[in-house]
Amino acid sequence: MPPSYSLSQLNTFALEVKAQQLIHIDELSQLTQLLPITEPMLVLGGGSNMLFTEDYQGLILHNRLLGIEITADDDFHYLSVAGGENWHDLVMHCAELGIGGLENLALIPGTVGAAPVQNIGAYGVELADVCQAVHAYCLSSGEFHHFDLAQCQFAYRDSLFKRQRDYFISRVLLKLPKNWQPQLSYGELKQWAAKLAYQPSPLDVAKQVISVRQDKLPDPKQIPNVGSFFKNPIVDKAQAQQLLQQYDDMPQYVTSQGVKLAAGWLIDKLGLKGFAIGGAAVHQRQALVLINANHACADDVVLLAQHVREQVAKHFGVNLEPEVNFINEQGYSNLHDALKSLNRGSNHV
Ligand code: EPU
C-alpha cells in the first residue's frame, strides 16, 4: 500500500512527505490501547527537528496530549505538562504568571514532549536545568516509566530518549525555584541587561529572547527550517588552540567535554551564507540554519548539508554532525545513509 498520510503540515522544513499511517493521540487511553506496538513506528511532536528524506513506511503517532498543572511549596513551582503542549506557549504562560526559569527558552519551536529528547537549549539554559522527571511509555514493551533527572542522561543536545527511540513522552515534570535569578550571561542578553536600571522580570527576559531570536532565526511558518541544522562541534584543547592561532576572532567556549566551536561562525567564514542547492539554502542571517527557500526537495537539503560539511572539514579540519534527525522510509537514519540513497536514486521526496 503506498503511503497516504501527508506530513507536509507536520514537518517545519515543509517537505512534501507522506506516512503509511498516522494516528493523532489526543487521549492517553488511545495510546495504551495500541500498546505494545510491534510494527515500525515513530513519535512526532511539532516536527521541528525532523527531516524526512523519503516517505515513511510505518505508523506515526502524533503526540497531541494537552494539560498543564502547576503546584508549589515554599521554595519551588512544580509543573506537570502533557507532551503535546506547545513549548513556547508554556514558556509564555509561565512568564506571564511571573514564574521564572523557562524564559531563555522562549520561541523554540516544537512540543513539550520533544523538549527532553534533544535537551533543548538556548542563551545559557537547557531543559536539563529545569527538568525534574519525565513520564514515558515504552511503545515496544507497553510499560510506563518514570525517569528522574539522572535517568534522563541529559547532555548537550542529547538524552536517553534520543538514543532509545521507542518512548512516547506523556508528561514532563519541571521544577522552578521561587528564588528566581535571571540567567543573563549570554552575550546578547548581557548587553541588554547592562543598560537596564531595574531587575528584569521573567516576561522582560522572554520578550528580549524573542527579539534576539527574531533578528536572526527565520520563523518556520514563513521560511521553513529546522533551527540549527548542525550541532556546535566540540574539539580538544590542542586543536582549539591551533585554530585560534589561525583565526584569532574564532568564538570558542570551554566546556567539561572539550572546547565548543560555533558551527554558524565556521560556515559563515567560508562565505556560505545564501549558498543554495536547488530550493535549499544557507540562511542569510544565521549560517547554522538551512532553509527551504523555494520548494526544496529532500535531495536538495541532503546535498547542501553534505556540501557544508565537506567545506568545513576541508578548511578547518572539523566534523559537523547534524542536529536534525534524518528519517528515511524505515525510520531514523543519518546524512550518510541519505547520501547513499541519493546515489541509488531512491529518494522520492
Ligand atoms: N555566528 C556567526 N555567523 C553566523 C552564525 C553565528 O559569526 O552565521 C557566530 C555568532 O556571532 C556567535 C557564535 O557564532 O559568536 C554563536 O552564534 P549564536 O549565538 O547565534 O548561537 P549558535 O551557536 O549559532 C546555539 C544553539 C541555538 C541557540 C543559540 C543561542 C546549537 C546547535 N544551537 O546557536 O539553538 O538558540 O545557541 O543559545 O547549539 C537550535 O538548537 O535549533 C537552536 C537554534
Side-chain angles (χ1 to χ4, degrees), residues 48-49 104 108-109 118 120-125 156-157 186 188 213 216-217 226-232 249 251 253 260-269 273 283-289 323:
S48 55
N49 210 29
N104 291 41
I108 294 184
Q118 59 147 350
I120 58 169
Y123 310 107
V125 175
Y156 169 58
R157 293 296 191 276
Y186 196 88
E188 282 145 312
R213 285 185 75 100
K216 47 188 179 182
L217 293 169
V226 287
S228 300
F229 198 93
F230 298 99
K231 289 195 229 180
N232 283 329
D249 57 338
Y253 316 91
K260 198 188 266 186
L261 309 179
W265 186 93
L266 301 175
I267 300 167
D268 191 358
K269 194 78 181 170
K273 272 182 176 168
H283 189 48
Q284 285 284 4
R285 275 182 289 158
Q286 168 41 301
L288 191 48
V289 176
E323 196 214 84

Side-chain angles (χ1 to χ4, degrees), residues 49-65:
N49 210 29
M50 309 289 247
L51 192 79
F52 288 89
T53 56
E54 296 172 331
D55 287 338
Y56 176 59
Q57 306 284 345
L59 162 66
I60 289 197
L61 298 174
H62 181 209
N63 188 341
R64 295 206 302 200
L65 298 176

Side-chain angles (χ1 to χ4, degrees), residues 94-95 98-101 103 180 200-207:
C94 289
I99 299 178
E103 56 286 339
W180 169 81
S201 69
L203 191 56
D204 294 332
V205 178
K207 285 182 178 163

